[in-house]
Amino acid sequence: MYDVPDQTGKLAVVTGANSGTGKEATKRLAAAGARVIMAVRTPAKGEAARAEILAEHPDAQLEVRRIDLADLASVQEFADGLAADEPHVDLLVNNAGVMHPPTRITTKDGFELQFGSNFLGPFALTVRLLPLVLAAPAPRIATMASGAANFGRIRFDDLQWERRYRRMAAYSQSKLADLMMSNHLAKLSADRDWGLLSVAAHPGFTRTNLQTAGASLGRERPSRLTHWGLRFNPLPTQGVEVGTEPLLFAATSPDAQPGAYYGPSGRLGLVGPTTLVKAPKNALDPETNARLWSVAEGLTGVSLPASGPILRK
């Protein structure tokens, strides 16, 4: 098991902290001494997760705050509230996501749900929180991508899948976009001398509710095909404790490198201890990464200053 270094005195924000890898990351960051803001869409679920963690770690410092990454107004409200209450944020963990809704669903702002929730929402949150993060002594942002990014392609001519929706391809695009965001953020930090460590990770095939929650959107329950596919899955899988470790390594290890990508080292890259993994070629072109960043600024209305320092308002 990865031993999270001492996080005493640090403030971390974890999205999707009420379940799966987000909940596990929250628990282990708090157990290592961090104060953790649990950024969740449904506060009641966040409070239930908080109670479970406190039962195991009574001294954990946890606070539940609402954010809906599928609603840019909610992202702004969350960021503004945090800026009003905190002098800095040491660590932002972009973890929350949705996977494979069976039909094309849109966010409150009209974006295809996976592209909007998995990428544009986290992008807007990241940019809005950058002044707070950069005010920290050792700022870091860890972003959860996915092995599906290997199969992704950024469809600049149809980012919202308005022509023909394909749920798996849409998911792969959104997670590739997350990886490209992390890589471009690392480049921006180096170019502008921010001192920010931007690192990405993927969990391999980790058993969480991600596979079923998204597949049931718009339905009372996941399809029979999804149910049987998971039940008789021939691929290796792992529990959430191990599956969260690449993200925790990216978020806390002193050995994590800027612009690096971490994932499982075992069979098919789906299970096993954390290692440095090769990012897909589609995430490594600086010009394309910059283009996607610019497009995201236009779509979300959230952008960085063209040059110079980022100052808190």
Side-chain angles (χ1 to χ4, degrees), residues 57-189:
H57 301 282
D59 295 329
Q61 301 177 74
L62 304 170
E63 179 185 350
V64 175
R65 294 199 182 202
R66 185 182 184 275
I67 186 172
D68 183 354
L69 292 167
D71 179 355
L72 293 177
S74 174
V75 172
Q76 180 174 1
E77 182 180 5
F78 175 89
D80 288 348
L82 204 57
D85 296 339
E86 303 292 344
H88 68 262
V89 170
D90 297 274
L91 169 66
L92 169 61
V93 180
N94 287 315
N95 163 81
V98 63
M99 181 179 184
H100 297 172
T103 58
R104 185 180 181 276
I105 302 172
T106 57
T107 69
K108 187 171 182 179
D109 303 285
F111 306 125
E112 186 274 317
L113 182 63
Q114 293 183 98
F115 193 69
S117 295
N118 296 353
F119 170 58
L120 292 176
F123 171 87
L125 178 64
T126 296
V127 175
R128 287 193 180 280
L129 288 186
L130 263 179
L132 274 182
V133 174
L134 294 182
R140 189 181 298 214
I141 295 177
T143 298
M144 182 72 97
S146 166
N150 289 317
F151 311 104
R153 181 174 68 87
I154 304 299
R155 296 159 49 100
F156 284 105
D157 62 337
D158 188 22
L159 288 171
Q160 310 302 335
W161 298 89
E162 294 174 305
R163 297 176 191 165
R164 181 191 172 205
Y165 175 71
R166 291 183 292 144
R167 61 180 184 169
M168 294 183 182
Y171 179 72
S172 297
Q173 174 185 253
S174 72
K175 301 313 287 184
L176 173 63
D178 284 335
L179 185 52
M180 293 167 69
M181 175 183 75
S182 181
N183 289 345
H184 188 65
L185 192 57
K187 185 177 186 303
L188 285 171
S189 177

Side-chain angles (χ1 to χ4, degrees), residues 53 62 112 212 265 279 285 308:
I53 295 171
L62 304 170
E112 186 274 317
T212 55
S265 60
D285 178 44

Side-chain angles (χ1 to χ4, degrees), residues 214-231:
S216 64
L217 288 173
R219 299 174 173 173
E220 292 185 1
R221 60 181 65 89
S223 70
R224 187 171 298 177
L225 180 62
T226 299
H227 172 78
W228 288 104
L230 291 173
R231 184 173 180 180

